[in-house]
Amino acid sequence: MADASKTASRTAGKTAGKSVRKTTSKATSKPASSKSNLQATGEELLKYYRDMLLIRRFEERAGQLYGMGHIGGFCHLYIGQEAVVVGVEAVKKDGDQTITGYRDHGHMLACGMDPKGVMAELTGREGGYSKGKGGSMHMFSKEKEFYGGHGIVGAQVPLGAGLAFANRYRENGNVSLTYFGDGASNQGQIFEAMNMAELWSLPVVFIIENNQYAMGTSVKRSHSETHLYRRGASFGIPGMEVDGMDVVAVREAAREAIDHARTGGGPYVLEMKTYRYRGHSMSDPAKYRTREEVEGFREHNDPIKRCEARIIEGGHADAAALKELDKDIKDIVKGAADFALESPEPSAEELYTDVLA
Amino acid sequence: MARMTMIEAVRSAMDVSMGRDDSVVVYGEDVGYFGGVFRCTQGLQQKYGKARCFDSPINESGIIGTAIGMAVHGMRPCVEIQFADYMFPGYDQLTQEAARIRYRSNGDFTVPMTVRMPTGGGIFGGQTHSQSPEALFAHVCGLKTVIPSNPYDAKGLLIASIEDDDPVIFLEPKRLYNGPFDGHHDRPITPWKNHELGEVPEEYYRIPLGKAAVRREGNDVTILTYGTMVHVALAAAEETGIDAEIIDLRTILPLDFDAIEESVRKTGRCVIVNEATKTCGFAAELMSIVAETCFYHLEAPIRRVTGWDTPYPHSQEWEYFPGPKRVGAALLDVMEAA
């Protein structure tokens, strides 16, 4: 299967326009219906629902705290994209690494990092993962194998390949899950990393979160090839386009890509077609897109609503139970926000620790 | 003890480190099969295999970026950038990733990576094969920067760099690879085998980062310098007959503040020599430090001798290169000052 897909993409360059897009049901560019044949158990769906909702509520709260002046500087919200990281995390194994760019709060929560520590980092407090010195874009967790949190667009991608090199060198069977956005996919160092990854057969999955806008520049206005799953084609890396608004579709695509990498097949490119509801950052009113476009995703293609529909249709939980779950999550987020406001600022002396050994 | 060139000493350091620790890997452009453009990695692939010494594509950002990823995951990569001038595509990775990960991970992750680069001029390389970019690394908090001036130091410092838990930029003055070049380009080069610092133990030893060495003791003036300019300074002292104390800094970050202060307070005069361009070069930082810490001990203004504020020229290279004549003039100048 993996070999076949590789062959397909290897020939893609020669047969331009003939579809590298994997022609399985999950590879459609249209949103998959919740009635699709992608199966998940009630228990799984409830977990994904909970994990996505935690990210959504956390981000909403972060937005509020920003508006109230408790968070300063930069704050890039993940609202709308929750299915991507939750679906990938669902098939991650112990020891697999996660590394991403600056829109990273969702990845940290999905990795199991403590919402209190993440929120307190946003408010720049001592209780934050980086003791307040890193901020929104710069957090790490050794315990959760989370390698950041990187503020320079695309700079984390060669590191992701390096993590994969260490996996291969140590023969530990782990895979590096390297996330970046559609904007980052134009950075030169991504191509360097892809070439090295395929050349050295590194276990890395390049996960392009295509939310369709690099800040205010649409993919159409910045990419000569708008099918980003083809980014690896010239290196011989297979790619797949995925409905990134369907957590189960994401999970199944990630499963295939991760298996490919873990079993010696080398890297894989997943293009997650997704959408962010908020602006690029807190200062972005997002005037480069229409209200109708945003509402279309919110109303008809929301990853949490789609998961909810699956749950209700499958009879796995009723609306009252989901409401109860939402209340529990809001309590967790409130606890994180309280902690983030109560934790003291780091001392000035702290600024000089961890510069060098 | 063996007699080694700086090339052989650097190679021996990598050999010893690879032999002691299998987390050490060596790679870069033409580093594996070919053995490196200056032959520094010759034989390492045959000895340790292609998994541990290998060629990379020509992509400095990718080389440094992957090395950072390996390093945060517990490996100790020692990578080569073929010329220091080629590091600029990787400068983003060095400054924004390697230098910062310890800080922003709250000490959870460190980057035990060494990036070797041949530096400096004197080989008619022109503006893209002759630069001395050390100040660009020292200016970034979170990187260590090492510049040896001889084979013995090169080996001990490189082993210490590879074993260091922080990212180290290891600059190898390429004009010193084969001998202690003192700026007299018109004379035949003295090979390292005729120099006491070309005597290098074959086995493991370390020279700690952050410790300067006194290359010549003296009482009249302190010369602060590093790399190729150590030998230029020695020649200038001899030719002018001025009793200069020559401090070879060996690492510019961490810097041996004690050695600087002790010597300048003793001599009361200070000349600083670096090969790089003048404006914002590391000499400027050294002048500030001396002014801040030794001002009341100074009997003359501090002088610096540096490359010109021009791109490194192909023609008139020995005008640009701060040779013993220019250093000697600065020594005479500070001695004449009241």
Side-chain angles (χ1 to χ4, degrees), chain A residues 97 130 138 142 150 155 159 162 169-170 189 192 196 351 354 357, chain B residues 22-23 52 59 61-62 66 70 73 92-93 97 103-104 108-109 166:
Chain A
Q97 304 93 19
S130 189
H138 311 119
K142 194 165 207 167
H150 296 262
L159 272 69
Y169 188 78
R170 295 288 185 213
Q189 49 186 330
E192 299 187 6
M196 295 168 105
L351 300 185
D354 294 320
Chain B
D22 76 355
S23 69
R52 297 193 61 200
N59 55 348
S61 174
T66 50
M70 296 177 198
H73 204 293
D92 180 38
Q93 287 291 338
E97 301 292 343
Y103 196 71
R104 71 182 194 238
D108 252 11
F109 291 105
D166 284 305

PDB file of all heavy atoms in Angstrom, chain A residues 97 130 138 142 150 155 159 162 169-170 189 192 196 351 354 357, chain B residues 22-23 52 59 61-62 66 70 73 92-93 97 103-104 108-109 166:
ATOM      1  N   GLN A  97       7.601  12.118  18.292  1.00  0.00           N
ATOM      2  CA  GLN A  97       7.793  13.530  18.635  1.00  0.00           C
ATOM      3  C   GLN A  97       6.822  14.422  17.876  1.00  0.00           C
ATOM      4  O   GLN A  97       6.481  14.144  16.730  1.00  0.00           O
ATOM      5  CB  GLN A  97       9.219  13.981  18.303  1.00  0.00           C
ATOM      6  CG  GLN A  97      10.316  13.163  18.962  1.00  0.00           C
ATOM      7  CD  GLN A  97      10.787  12.038  18.081  1.00  0.00           C
ATOM      8  OE1 GLN A  97      10.583  12.044  16.888  1.00  0.00           O
ATOM      9  NE2 GLN A  97      11.428  11.050  18.680  1.00  0.00           N
ATOM     10  N   SER A 130       7.721  27.791  30.069  1.00  0.00           N
ATOM     11  CA  SER A 130       9.050  28.369  29.888  1.00  0.00           C
ATOM     12  C   SER A 130       9.295  29.455  30.924  1.00  0.00           C
ATOM     13  O   SER A 130      10.075  30.381  30.706  1.00  0.00           O
ATOM     14  CB  SER A 130       9.160  28.918  28.464  1.00  0.00           C
ATOM     15  OG  SER A 130      10.467  29.291  28.174  1.00  0.00           O
ATOM     16  N   HIS A 138       6.683  29.805  22.045  1.00  0.00           N
ATOM     17  CA  HIS A 138       7.966  29.179  22.406  1.00  0.00           C
ATOM     18  C   HIS A 138       7.866  28.356  23.678  1.00  0.00           C
ATOM     19  O   HIS A 138       8.299  28.778  24.744  1.00  0.00           O
ATOM     20  CB  HIS A 138       9.040  30.255  22.569  1.00  0.00           C
ATOM     21  CG  HIS A 138       9.091  31.224  21.428  1.00  0.00           C
ATOM     22  ND1 HIS A 138       8.868  32.562  21.575  1.00  0.00           N
ATOM     23  CD2 HIS A 138       9.305  31.028  20.116  1.00  0.00           C
ATOM     24  CE1 HIS A 138       8.971  33.157  20.393  1.00  0.00           C
ATOM     25  NE2 HIS A 138       9.227  32.245  19.494  1.00  0.00           N
ATOM     26  N   LYS A 142       9.656  18.084  27.556  1.00  0.00           N
ATOM     27  CA  LYS A 142      10.418  16.850  27.383  1.00  0.00           C
ATOM     28  C   LYS A 142       9.529  15.654  27.699  1.00  0.00           C
ATOM     29  O   LYS A 142       9.544  14.641  27.002  1.00  0.00           O
ATOM     30  CB  LYS A 142      11.634  16.877  28.311  1.00  0.00           C
ATOM     31  CG  LYS A 142      12.669  15.828  27.981  1.00  0.00           C
ATOM     32  CD  LYS A 142      13.994  16.134  28.672  1.00  0.00           C
ATOM     33  CE  LYS A 142      15.144  15.545  27.876  1.00  0.00           C
ATOM     34  NZ  LYS A 142      16.434  16.061  28.306  1.00  0.00           N
ATOM     35  N   HIS A 150       7.728  27.136  17.541  1.00  0.00           N
ATOM     36  CA  HIS A 150       8.814  27.865  16.885  1.00  0.00           C
ATOM     37  C   HIS A 150       8.247  29.080  16.170  1.00  0.00           C
ATOM     38  O   HIS A 150       7.322  28.975  15.378  1.00  0.00           O
ATOM     39  CB  HIS A 150       9.538  26.960  15.883  1.00  0.00           C
ATOM     40  CG  HIS A 150      10.209  25.799  16.549  1.00  0.00           C
ATOM     41  ND1 HIS A 150      11.538  25.775  16.878  1.00  0.00           N
ATOM     42  CD2 HIS A 150       9.702  24.642  17.016  1.00  0.00           C
ATOM     43  CE1 HIS A 150      11.832  24.645  17.501  1.00  0.00           C
ATOM     44  NE2 HIS A 150      10.733  23.926  17.588  1.00  0.00           N
ATOM     45  N   ALA A 155      11.021  27.245  10.272  1.00  0.00           N
ATOM     46  CA  ALA A 155      12.342  26.892  10.806  1.00  0.00           C
ATOM     47  C   ALA A 155      12.327  25.577  11.579  1.00  0.00           C
ATOM     48  O   ALA A 155      13.368  24.951  11.769  1.00  0.00           O
ATOM     49  CB  ALA A 155      12.864  28.014  11.704  1.00  0.00           C
ATOM     50  N   LEU A 159      14.445  20.766  11.849  1.00  0.00           N
ATOM     51  CA  LEU A 159      14.597  20.142  13.170  1.00  0.00           C
ATOM     52  C   LEU A 159      13.775  18.856  13.227  1.00  0.00           C
ATOM     53  O   LEU A 159      14.223  17.843  13.787  1.00  0.00           O
ATOM     54  CB  LEU A 159      14.131  21.077  14.289  1.00  0.00           C
ATOM     55  CG  LEU A 159      15.163  22.041  14.850  1.00  0.00           C
ATOM     56  CD1 LEU A 159      15.533  23.107  13.824  1.00  0.00           C
ATOM     57  CD2 LEU A 159      14.654  22.706  16.113  1.00  0.00           C
ATOM     58  N   GLY A 162      15.650  16.291  11.686  1.00  0.00           N
ATOM     59  CA  GLY A 162      16.742  15.885  12.582  1.00  0.00           C
ATOM     60  C   GLY A 162      16.262  14.955  13.684  1.00  0.00           C
ATOM     61  O   GLY A 162      16.940  13.983  14.040  1.00  0.00           O
ATOM     62  N   TYR A 169      18.647   6.589  13.637  1.00  0.00           N
ATOM     63  CA  TYR A 169      19.987   6.247  14.127  1.00  0.00           C
ATOM     64  C   TYR A 169      19.896   5.349  15.352  1.00  0.00           C
ATOM     65  O   TYR A 169      20.654   4.389  15.498  1.00  0.00           O
ATOM     66  CB  TYR A 169      20.729   7.542  14.473  1.00  0.00           C
ATOM     67  CG  TYR A 169      22.187   7.361  14.812  1.00  0.00           C
ATOM     68  CD1 TYR A 169      23.129   7.170  13.811  1.00  0.00           C
ATOM     69  CD2 TYR A 169      22.622   7.391  16.139  1.00  0.00           C
ATOM     70  CE1 TYR A 169      24.467   7.013  14.114  1.00  0.00           C
ATOM     71  CE2 TYR A 169      23.962   7.239  16.461  1.00  0.00           C
ATOM     72  CZ  TYR A 169      24.888   7.049  15.445  1.00  0.00           C
ATOM     73  OH  TYR A 169      26.211   6.897  15.755  1.00  0.00           O
ATOM     74  N   ARG A 170      18.930   5.668  16.223  1.00  0.00           N
ATOM     75  CA  ARG A 170      18.766   4.877  17.450  1.00  0.00           C
ATOM     76  C   ARG A 170      17.901   3.644  17.233  1.00  0.00           C
ATOM     77  O   ARG A 170      17.748   2.836  18.147  1.00  0.00           O
ATOM     78  CB  ARG A 170      18.111   5.744  18.534  1.00  0.00           C
ATOM     79  CG  ARG A 170      18.945   6.917  18.992  1.00  0.00           C
ATOM     80  CD  ARG A 170      20.106   6.452  19.810  1.00  0.00           C
ATOM     81  NE  ARG A 170      20.856   7.577  20.364  1.00  0.00           N
ATOM     82  CZ  ARG A 170      22.173   7.549  20.547  1.00  0.00           C
ATOM     83  NH1 ARG A 170      22.874   6.496  20.231  1.00  0.00           N
ATOM     84  NH2 ARG A 170      22.781   8.593  21.069  1.00  0.00           N
ATOM     85  N   GLN A 189      13.818  26.214   3.293  1.00  0.00           N
ATOM     86  CA  GLN A 189      14.376  25.145   4.138  1.00  0.00           C
ATOM     87  C   GLN A 189      13.445  23.941   4.243  1.00  0.00           C
ATOM     88  O   GLN A 189      13.893  22.858   4.606  1.00  0.00           O
ATOM     89  CB  GLN A 189      14.807  25.647   5.498  1.00  0.00           C
ATOM     90  CG  GLN A 189      13.850  26.480   6.261  1.00  0.00           C
ATOM     91  CD  GLN A 189      14.550  27.012   7.535  1.00  0.00           C
ATOM     92  OE1 GLN A 189      15.434  26.382   8.078  1.00  0.00           O
ATOM     93  NE2 GLN A 189      14.159  28.172   7.997  1.00  0.00           N
ATOM     94  N   GLU A 192      14.778  21.724   1.601  1.00  0.00           N
ATOM     95  CA  GLU A 192      16.024  21.100   2.052  1.00  0.00           C
ATOM     96  C   GLU A 192      15.713  19.915   2.958  1.00  0.00           C
ATOM     97  O   GLU A 192      16.289  18.836   2.842  1.00  0.00           O
ATOM     98  CB  GLU A 192      16.885  22.119   2.807  1.00  0.00           C
ATOM     99  CG  GLU A 192      17.282  23.317   1.964  1.00  0.00           C
ATOM    100  CD  GLU A 192      18.282  24.232   2.660  1.00  0.00           C
ATOM    101  OE1 GLU A 192      18.766  23.889   3.752  1.00  0.00           O
ATOM    102  OE2 GLU A 192      18.575  25.305   2.094  1.00  0.00           O
ATOM    103  N   MET A 196      16.491  15.858   2.263  1.00  0.00           N
ATOM    104  CA  MET A 196      17.302  15.054   3.186  1.00  0.00           C
ATOM    105  C   MET A 196      16.474  13.902   3.764  1.00  0.00           C
ATOM    106  O   MET A 196      16.970  12.789   3.930  1.00  0.00           O
ATOM    107  CB  MET A 196      17.839  15.944   4.313  1.00  0.00           C
ATOM    108  CG  MET A 196      18.814  17.006   3.825  1.00  0.00           C
ATOM    109  SD  MET A 196      19.172  18.260   5.092  1.00  0.00           S
ATOM    110  CE  MET A 196      20.796  17.766   5.594  1.00  0.00           C
ATOM    111  N   LEU A 351      15.846  35.835  34.185  1.00  0.00           N
ATOM    112  CA  LEU A 351      16.105  36.071  32.765  1.00  0.00           C
ATOM    113  C   LEU A 351      17.481  35.577  32.342  1.00  0.00           C
ATOM    114  O   LEU A 351      17.699  35.242  31.189  1.00  0.00           O
ATOM    115  CB  LEU A 351      15.971  37.570  32.442  1.00  0.00           C
ATOM    116  CG  LEU A 351      14.604  38.191  32.736  1.00  0.00           C
ATOM    117  CD1 LEU A 351      14.582  39.638  32.264  1.00  0.00           C
ATOM    118  CD2 LEU A 351      13.477  37.402  32.087  1.00  0.00           C
ATOM    119  N   ASP A 354      19.527  29.682  31.969  1.00  0.00           N
ATOM    120  CA  ASP A 354      19.314  28.884  30.757  1.00  0.00           C
ATOM    121  C   ASP A 354      19.660  29.612  29.465  1.00  0.00           C
ATOM    122  O   ASP A 354      19.111  29.309  28.411  1.00  0.00           O
ATOM    123  CB  ASP A 354      17.865  28.348  30.687  1.00  0.00           C
ATOM    124  CG  ASP A 354      17.590  27.343  31.792  1.00  0.00           C
ATOM    125  OD1 ASP A 354      18.482  26.535  32.081  1.00  0.00           O
ATOM    126  OD2 ASP A 354      16.497  27.396  32.387  1.00  0.00           O
ATOM    127  N   ALA A 357      24.883  26.828  29.551  1.00  0.00           N
ATOM    128  CA  ALA A 357      25.060  26.009  30.755  1.00  0.00           C
ATOM    129  C   ALA A 357      25.912  26.770  31.763  1.00  0.00           C
ATOM    130  O   ALA A 357      26.802  27.504  31.380  1.00  0.00           O
ATOM    131  CB  ALA A 357      25.730  24.707  30.399  1.00  0.00           C
TER     132      ALA A 357
ATOM    133  N   ASP B  22      29.068   6.965  20.704  1.00  0.00           N
ATOM    134  CA  ASP B  22      28.398   6.691  19.421  1.00  0.00           C
ATOM    135  C   ASP B  22      27.286   7.686  19.113  1.00  0.00           C
ATOM    136  O   ASP B  22      26.658   7.600  18.066  1.00  0.00           O
ATOM    137  CB  ASP B  22      27.888   5.249  19.354  1.00  0.00           C
ATOM    138  CG  ASP B  22      26.622   5.021  20.168  1.00  0.00           C
ATOM    139  OD1 ASP B  22      26.181   5.952  20.874  1.00  0.00           O
ATOM    140  OD2 ASP B  22      26.084   3.899  20.104  1.00  0.00           O
ATOM    141  N   SER B  23      27.038   8.646  20.000  1.00  0.00           N
ATOM    142  CA  SER B  23      26.058   9.678  19.657  1.00  0.00           C
ATOM    143  C   SER B  23      26.698  10.780  18.804  1.00  0.00           C
ATOM    144  O   SER B  23      26.004  11.664  18.323  1.00  0.00           O
ATOM    145  CB  SER B  23      25.429  10.268  20.923  1.00  0.00           C
ATOM    146  OG  SER B  23      26.374  11.024  21.630  1.00  0.00           O
ATOM    147  N   ARG B  52      27.701   7.129  10.351  1.00  0.00           N
ATOM    148  CA  ARG B  52      28.241   8.088  11.318  1.00  0.00           C
ATOM    149  C   ARG B  52      29.063   9.197  10.684  1.00  0.00           C
ATOM    150  O   ARG B  52      29.345  10.209  11.324  1.00  0.00           O
ATOM    151  CB  ARG B  52      29.086   7.352  12.371  1.00  0.00           C
ATOM    152  CG  ARG B  52      28.234   6.372  13.183  1.00  0.00           C
ATOM    153  CD  ARG B  52      28.954   5.874  14.395  1.00  0.00           C
ATOM    154  NE  ARG B  52      29.285   6.956  15.291  1.00  0.00           N
ATOM    155  CZ  ARG B  52      30.227   6.873  16.219  1.00  0.00           C
ATOM    156  NH1 ARG B  52      30.922   5.753  16.360  1.00  0.00           N
ATOM    157  NH2 ARG B  52      30.466   7.898  17.008  1.00  0.00           N
ATOM    158  N   ASN B  59      23.152  22.269   1.431  1.00  0.00           N
ATOM    159  CA  ASN B  59      22.040  23.020   2.028  1.00  0.00           C
ATOM    160  C   ASN B  59      22.374  23.306   3.491  1.00  0.00           C
ATOM    161  O   ASN B  59      22.101  22.513   4.379  1.00  0.00           O
ATOM    162  CB  ASN B  59      20.712  22.267   1.889  1.00  0.00           C
ATOM    163  CG  ASN B  59      20.728  20.868   2.448  1.00  0.00           C
ATOM    164  OD1 ASN B  59      21.785  20.311   2.773  1.00  0.00           O
ATOM    165  ND2 ASN B  59      19.574  20.283   2.604  1.00  0.00           N
ATOM    166  N   SER B  61      21.253  25.415   5.665  1.00  0.00           N
ATOM    167  CA  SER B  61      20.140  25.499   6.601  1.00  0.00           C
ATOM    168  C   SER B  61      19.685  24.101   6.999  1.00  0.00           C
ATOM    169  O   SER B  61      19.413  23.818   8.172  1.00  0.00           O
ATOM    170  CB  SER B  61      18.994  26.275   5.937  1.00  0.00           C
ATOM    171  OG  SER B  61      17.868  26.251   6.744  1.00  0.00           O
ATOM    172  N   GLY B  62      19.627  23.226   6.028  1.00  0.00           N
ATOM    173  CA  GLY B  62      19.237  21.843   6.306  1.00  0.00           C
ATOM    174  C   GLY B  62      20.262  21.126   7.163  1.00  0.00           C
ATOM    175  O   GLY B  62      19.906  20.354   8.062  1.00  0.00           O
ATOM    176  N   THR B  66      18.901  20.054  10.770  1.00  0.00           N
ATOM    177  CA  THR B  66      18.793  18.638  11.150  1.00  0.00           C
ATOM    178  C   THR B  66      19.707  18.342  12.335  1.00  0.00           C
ATOM    179  O   THR B  66      19.352  17.563  13.219  1.00  0.00           O
ATOM    180  CB  THR B  66      19.145  17.700   9.978  1.00  0.00           C
ATOM    181  OG1 THR B  66      20.393  18.098   9.409  1.00  0.00           O
ATOM    182  CG2 THR B  66      18.070  17.730   8.894  1.00  0.00           C
ATOM    183  N   MET B  70      18.699  16.543  15.827  1.00  0.00           N
ATOM    184  CA  MET B  70      19.405  15.389  16.408  1.00  0.00           C
ATOM    185  C   MET B  70      19.873  15.707  17.826  1.00  0.00           C
ATOM    186  O   MET B  70      19.763  14.891  18.737  1.00  0.00           O
ATOM    187  CB  MET B  70      20.650  15.051  15.570  1.00  0.00           C
ATOM    188  CG  MET B  70      20.376  14.594  14.168  1.00  0.00           C
ATOM    189  SD  MET B  70      21.989  14.350  13.345  1.00  0.00           S
ATOM    190  CE  MET B  70      21.461  14.355  11.643  1.00  0.00           C
ATOM    191  N   HIS B  73      17.566  15.647  20.597  1.00  0.00           N
ATOM    192  CA  HIS B  73      17.125  14.278  20.827  1.00  0.00           C
ATOM    193  C   HIS B  73      18.271  13.421  21.357  1.00  0.00           C
ATOM    194  O   HIS B  73      18.242  12.191  21.255  1.00  0.00           O
ATOM    195  CB  HIS B  73      16.557  13.684  19.535  1.00  0.00           C
ATOM    196  CG  HIS B  73      15.594  12.565  19.746  1.00  0.00           C
ATOM    197  ND1 HIS B  73      15.957  11.336  20.257  1.00  0.00           N
ATOM    198  CD2 HIS B  73      14.265  12.482  19.537  1.00  0.00           C
ATOM    199  CE1 HIS B  73      14.898  10.559  20.328  1.00  0.00           C
ATOM    200  NE2 HIS B  73      13.851  11.227  19.900  1.00  0.00           N
ATOM    201  N   ASP B  92      19.844  31.586  10.292  1.00  0.00           N
ATOM    202  CA  ASP B  92      18.520  31.579  10.939  1.00  0.00           C
ATOM    203  C   ASP B  92      18.440  30.420  11.930  1.00  0.00           C
ATOM    204  O   ASP B  92      18.044  30.591  13.087  1.00  0.00           O
ATOM    205  CB  ASP B  92      17.453  31.447   9.849  1.00  0.00           C
ATOM    206  CG  ASP B  92      16.044  31.420  10.405  1.00  0.00           C
ATOM    207  OD1 ASP B  92      15.770  32.154  11.366  1.00  0.00           O
ATOM    208  OD2 ASP B  92      15.205  30.687   9.865  1.00  0.00           O
ATOM    209  N   GLN B  93      18.852  29.253  11.488  1.00  0.00           N
ATOM    210  CA  GLN B  93      18.810  28.084  12.368  1.00  0.00           C
ATOM    211  C   GLN B  93      19.734  28.264  13.579  1.00  0.00           C
ATOM    212  O   GLN B  93      19.402  27.885  14.695  1.00  0.00           O
ATOM    213  CB  GLN B  93      19.213  26.820  11.594  1.00  0.00           C
ATOM    214  CG  GLN B  93      18.146  26.338  10.621  1.00  0.00           C
ATOM    215  CD  GLN B  93      16.918  25.796  11.331  1.00  0.00           C
ATOM    216  OE1 GLN B  93      16.967  25.405  12.491  1.00  0.00           O
ATOM    217  NE2 GLN B  93      15.796  25.776  10.638  1.00  0.00           N
ATOM    218  N   GLU B  97      17.136  29.122  16.488  1.00  0.00           N
ATOM    219  CA  GLU B  97      16.820  27.796  17.012  1.00  0.00           C
ATOM    220  C   GLU B  97      17.920  27.324  17.961  1.00  0.00           C
ATOM    221  O   GLU B  97      17.706  27.205  19.158  1.00  0.00           O
ATOM    222  CB  GLU B  97      16.618  26.793  15.863  1.00  0.00           C
ATOM    223  CG  GLU B  97      15.494  27.175  14.897  1.00  0.00           C
ATOM    224  CD  GLU B  97      14.106  27.107  15.525  1.00  0.00           C
ATOM    225  OE1 GLU B  97      13.934  26.485  16.591  1.00  0.00           O
ATOM    226  OE2 GLU B  97      13.175  27.703  14.960  1.00  0.00           O
ATOM    227  N   TYR B 103      16.920  28.204  26.397  1.00  0.00           N
ATOM    228  CA  TYR B 103      16.219  29.293  27.096  1.00  0.00           C
ATOM    229  C   TYR B 103      14.713  29.092  27.054  1.00  0.00           C
ATOM    230  O   TYR B 103      14.021  29.201  28.051  1.00  0.00           O
ATOM    231  CB  TYR B 103      16.590  30.619  26.427  1.00  0.00           C
ATOM    232  CG  TYR B 103      16.277  31.860  27.240  1.00  0.00           C
ATOM    233  CD1 TYR B 103      17.015  32.166  28.382  1.00  0.00           C
ATOM    234  CD2 TYR B 103      15.297  32.741  26.842  1.00  0.00           C
ATOM    235  CE1 TYR B 103      16.765  33.323  29.105  1.00  0.00           C
ATOM    236  CE2 TYR B 103      15.032  33.896  27.555  1.00  0.00           C
ATOM    237  CZ  TYR B 103      15.778  34.187  28.698  1.00  0.00           C
ATOM    238  OH  TYR B 103      15.522  35.333  29.403  1.00  0.00           O
ATOM    239  N   ARG B 104      14.208  28.822  25.874  1.00  0.00           N
ATOM    240  CA  ARG B 104      12.754  28.787  25.774  1.00  0.00           C
ATOM    241  C   ARG B 104      12.158  27.448  26.164  1.00  0.00           C
ATOM    242  O   ARG B 104      10.944  27.318  26.256  1.00  0.00           O
ATOM    243  CB  ARG B 104      12.285  29.253  24.407  1.00  0.00           C
ATOM    244  CG  ARG B 104      12.548  28.350  23.255  1.00  0.00           C
ATOM    245  CD  ARG B 104      12.024  29.061  21.995  1.00  0.00           C
ATOM    246  NE  ARG B 104      11.911  28.189  20.869  1.00  0.00           N
ATOM    247  CZ  ARG B 104      12.542  28.393  19.721  1.00  0.00           C
ATOM    248  NH1 ARG B 104      13.350  29.406  19.586  1.00  0.00           N
ATOM    249  NH2 ARG B 104      12.352  27.577  18.719  1.00  0.00           N
ATOM    250  N   ASP B 108      14.907  22.354  29.607  1.00  0.00           N
ATOM    251  CA  ASP B 108      14.507  20.974  29.308  1.00  0.00           C
ATOM    252  C   ASP B 108      15.352  20.384  28.188  1.00  0.00           C
ATOM    253  O   ASP B 108      15.730  19.222  28.217  1.00  0.00           O
ATOM    254  CB  ASP B 108      13.041  20.966  28.830  1.00  0.00           C
ATOM    255  CG  ASP B 108      12.109  20.388  29.874  1.00  0.00           C
ATOM    256  OD1 ASP B 108      12.558  20.205  31.015  1.00  0.00           O
ATOM    257  OD2 ASP B 108      10.932  20.131  29.546  1.00  0.00           O
ATOM    258  N   PHE B 109      15.587  21.209  27.179  1.00  0.00           N
ATOM    259  CA  PHE B 109      16.329  20.735  26.011  1.00  0.00           C
ATOM    260  C   PHE B 109      17.581  21.586  25.807  1.00  0.00           C
ATOM    261  O   PHE B 109      17.536  22.803  25.980  1.00  0.00           O
ATOM    262  CB  PHE B 109      15.479  20.821  24.748  1.00  0.00           C
ATOM    263  CG  PHE B 109      14.331  19.854  24.728  1.00  0.00           C
ATOM    264  CD1 PHE B 109      13.044  20.281  24.943  1.00  0.00           C
ATOM    265  CD2 PHE B 109      14.562  18.502  24.507  1.00  0.00           C
ATOM    266  CE1 PHE B 109      11.984  19.387  24.915  1.00  0.00           C
ATOM    267  CE2 PHE B 109      13.510  17.601  24.486  1.00  0.00           C
ATOM    268  CZ  PHE B 109      12.213  18.040  24.695  1.00  0.00           C
ATOM    269  N   ASP B 166      26.065  22.832  24.975  1.00  0.00           N
ATOM    270  CA  ASP B 166      25.511  23.964  24.237  1.00  0.00           C
ATOM    271  C   ASP B 166      26.059  23.980  22.812  1.00  0.00           C
ATOM    272  O   ASP B 166      27.086  23.370  22.524  1.00  0.00           O
ATOM    273  CB  ASP B 166      25.861  25.276  24.957  1.00  0.00           C
ATOM    274  CG  ASP B 166      24.988  25.486  26.181  1.00  0.00           C
ATOM    275  OD1 ASP B 166      23.757  25.451  26.021  1.00  0.00           O
ATOM    276  OD2 ASP B 166      25.533  25.651  27.288  1.00  0.00           O
TER     277      ASP B 166
END
